[in-house]
Amino acid sequence: MKFGGTSVATGENTRKVASLVEESVKQGCSVVVVVSALDGVTDELFEAAEQARKEKQEYIQAFKQRMFERHCAAITKAIKNSTIRKEVEQTVRKIIEELEKVLTGICYVGELTPKSKDYVLSFGERMSAPIVCGALQDLKIESRSLTGKAAGIVTDSNFGDANPLFNVTMHQLKERIEPLPEEKVTPVVSGYIAATQDGVVTTLGRGGSDYTATLIGAALSVDEVWIWTDVDGIMTADPKIVSSAHLLPQLSYQEAAEMAIFGAKAMHPRALEPIMKADIPARIRNVFNPKNHGTLISSEQTSTRQDAVKAVAMIKDVALINVSGGGMVGAPGSYARILDLLGKNGINVMMISAAASEANISLVIRRNLLGRALSALEIALLGKGFASEVTAEDDVCVIAAMGANMKGTLGVASRIFTTVARKKINIRMIAQGSSELNISFVVKETDGEAAVRAIHDEFKLDKM
Ligand code: ASP
Ligand code: MG
């Protein structure tokens, strides 16, 4: 069972989490718990690391105090037994003192390396796990908290987005975690964080607690991995945009991964890999509505619905770049040059489209990176007989329609584009990967919600 940041955001929520675990344990299940940092804490650590780099000593002091108060308030509400409470407080106090030392060190040298940044970011989950562990003990469930490193997750040194070394990780997790439930101990593992072979702390990328959970699930060959969050599961669309949007009871691994990539707030993009290989189902469930069975992600197709599109999402905060010029036509390596340049500048390209004329290529990136991308492209490309123009639009959004049955179904694209055209919405760019699991296109941001509603209607997603 993995619990996200909102599930442990406050002491009250943490008690809810503990009682959900208790319920399963009392039913005779063996449970391994994985927790995220308290909601917002990872972001705050990010900010604190930046402030330390700028040598803002006063910020660090105030930050330390804030962290301390936030976590102590959670402990007070989550744990009634005063002996357990004092112990957890002591543990968290020590962790925060270590955090202060790390930040002070960064302050002194005025430099923040990817390695030290990961070290700072690891503190959120290091603080949350002992609290959840204490809340379980408070309910008389024997429990022990472990960091990802202690649990045995080993990664490469790609700080900020480290990759687990799969075989050694599987072996160590099995060796260290599996015996605990047999001894009637419920392990609580810090999500998101791991370590290199030399023991240097790494993180698995934002949202990485899901990944921790599925790695453990695969290592222990569990029956199911439950991702507890603050929504009922994966929906056909954002209910804030489409009021008739509703829960999808079942998705394939590929569909769920596709939605994670498109930020439908489902999962860490690589989290499904370990369990997909082992054919272990995952279930997304709501801590605040545990009666709901959530969305099951598995290899079996349990839904009877055959229509091609299953869900539609709108991705905001993106920008469209268009590079054009006759010099690109028939010139081998011209697209590579553009993509390489963006890659070297740390700019991730979300979507690409280029027509057979080869005279232009369109790219979608995160909007906050647009300035950097444009200056890199203009400096490197213009006036070199290659590209003659670089233009951008920052008032756009991506609409992605997804579903495994789109593969090989004729007429899906035409239905999507006809329905959007009927709403008089202009499409700026289109991409469909040959996996055929999704069709994505770009429209003006002001047209985004209408496009989502039109597609939701066209494929009758409200009647599932
Ligand atoms: N706390 C980390 C984050 O906010 C990891 C997670 O929540 O899964 O990205
Ligand atoms: Mg989080």
Side-chain angles (χ1 to χ4, degrees):
M1 293 187 181
K2 176 257 171 173
F3 293 93
T6 40
S7 312
V8 292
T10 63
E12 288 91 343
N13 291 4
T14 304
R15 282 193 79 77
K16 225 171 258 162
V17 163
S19 64
L20 286 170
V21 176
E22 179 194 30
E23 202 177 299
S24 286
V25 170
K26 293 236 161 104
Q27 284 168 3
C29 300
S30 297
V31 181
V32 179
V33 178
V34 173
V35 281
S36 290
L38 275 58
D39 191 36
V41 166
T42 308
D43 289 328
E44 286 198 58
L45 287 164
F46 230 87
E47 182 58 29
E50 282 302 324
Q51 295 294 336
R53 186 177 61 78
K54 294 182 196 147
E55 302 171 26
K56 300 264 168 61
Q57 186 72 48
E58 335 74 70
Y59 187 93
I60 295 170
Q61 287 313 314
F63 174 70
K64 175 194 171 185
Q65 192 54 31
R66 212 164 54 235
M67 283 292 113
F68 192 71
E69 280 163 15
R70 167 113 193 246
H71 287 83
C72 280
I75 293 168
T76 311
K77 288 268 163 57
I79 307 170
K80 296 227 166 88
N81 178 303
S82 66
T83 321
I84 303 172
R85 195 169 61 219
K86 284 202 187 99
E87 248 170 61
V88 175
E89 252 168 31
Q90 193 56 26
T91 308
V92 170
R93 183 189 297 276
K94 275 202 195 117
I95 297 173
I96 293 180
E97 273 158 16
E98 185 186 332
L99 171 62
E100 184 193 8
K101 283 193 195 130
V102 178
L103 289 171
T104 307
I106 294 168
C107 230
Y108 276 128
V109 289
E111 186 185 58
L112 182 64
T113 62
K115 182 172 161 181
S116 48
K117 192 167 188 178
D118 261 13
Y119 190 20
V120 173
L121 292 178
S122 74
F123 279 85
E125 272 75 5
R126 281 180 61 190
M127 294 187 281
S128 64
I131 303 178
V132 174
C133 179
L136 284 171
Q137 288 166 346
D138 200 41
L139 299 177
K140 308 214 162 33
I141 306 277
E142 229 186 293
S143 173
R144 186 181 310 159
S145 77
L146 300 95
T147 62
K149 175 174 162 180
I153 303 177
V154 184
T155 67
D156 61 12
S157 51
N158 184 24
F159 296 104
D161 201 8
N163 301 297
L165 307 180
F166 196 72
N167 290 332
V168 47
T169 297
M170 287 297 111
H171 176 77
Q172 299 200 122
L173 283 172
K174 193 169 164 67
E175 200 174 62
R176 297 181 193 177
I177 307 287
E178 201 162 56
L180 296 175
E182 282 161 24
E183 295 160 17
K184 300 267 171 282
V185 175
T186 301
V188 179
V189 182
S190 307
Y192 179 54
I193 59 180
T196 65
Q197 274 167 314
D198 304 328
V200 179
V201 175
T202 54
T203 65
L204 303 175
R206 294 306 303 271
S209 302
D210 296 332
Y211 205 4
T212 305
T214 56
L215 286 166
I216 296 175
L220 271 58
S221 299
V222 298
D223 297 322
E224 273 187 20
V225 175
W226 288 358
I227 306 286
W228 288 97
T229 172
D230 55 355
V231 292
D232 283 340
I234 301 178
M235 314 274 292
T236 52
D238 182 346
K240 284 188 216 107
I241 299 176
V242 186
S243 57
S244 61
H246 61 95
L247 187 71
L248 289 156
Q250 197 271 341
L251 287 173
S252 70
Y253 293 113
Q254 285 80 4
E255 287 171 326
E258 200 77 34
M259 294 184 195
I261 293 164
F262 277 93
K265 210 189 168 195
M267 263 203 191
H268 181 284
R270 278 173 295 149
L272 291 167
E273 285 168 17
I275 53 169
M276 182 155 54
K277 270 194 221 160
D279 203 2
I280 297 168
R283 197 182 277 283
I284 299 180
R285 303 191 59 177
N286 190 348
V287 169
F288 308 103
N289 185 16
K291 283 197 196 75
N292 196 306
H293 291 288
T295 299
L296 180 72
I297 301 168
S298 65
S299 55
E300 271 163 69
Q301 199 68 38
T302 52
S303 138
T304 50
R305 194 188 147 82
Q306 286 307 315
D307 210 348
V309 173
K310 271 197 179 170
V312 51
M314 168 174 167
I315 303 129
K316 289 196 239 176
D317 301 318
V318 299
L320 176 67
I321 299 179
N322 201 16
V323 180
S324 53
M328 285 161 48
V329 180
S334 53
Y335 295 163
R337 225 164 115 181
I338 295 168
L339 295 174
D340 185 52
L341 192 68
L342 293 173
K344 285 200 178 116
N345 281 283
I347 297 158
N348 180 41
V349 177
M350 300 167 68
M351 194 172 148
I352 303 179
S353 155
S357 76
E358 300 179 39
N360 70 71
I361 177 169
S362 306
L363 311 154
V364 174
I365 62 167
R366 286 272 165 223
R367 194 174 294 163
N368 58 356
L369 299 175
L370 182 60
R372 182 152 27 120
L374 285 177
S375 81
L377 288 169
E378 287 183 338
I379 289 169
L381 302 180
L382 295 185
K384 308 237 160 76
F386 175 66
S388 53
E389 203 180 16
V390 180
T391 56
E393 287 168 47
D394 64 358
D395 56 348
V396 294
C397 66
V398 175
I399 307 293
M402 292 161 281
N405 290 335
M406 278 164 68
K407 197 178 168 82
T409 307
L410 298 179
V412 181
S414 95
R415 275 174 74 190
I416 291 176
F417 297 134
T418 308
T419 186
V420 171
R422 262 194 227 118
K423 299 277 175 224
K424 304 209 167 15
I425 296 171
N426 184 34
I427 295 176
R428 299 284 303 115
M429 168 183 171
I430 300 173
Q432 176 186 0
S434 55
S435 75
E436 292 187 48
L437 291 171
N438 101 57
I439 291 178
S440 310
F441 57 92
V442 175
V443 299
K444 286 266 176 249
E445 191 162 291
T446 45
D447 290 332
E449 297 194 357
V452 168
R453 280 193 284 266
I455 295 170
H456 203 271
D457 273 356
E458 168 67 26
F459 289 89
K460 302 192 175 52
L461 297 183
D462 54 336
K463 299 200 180 61
M464 283 169 79

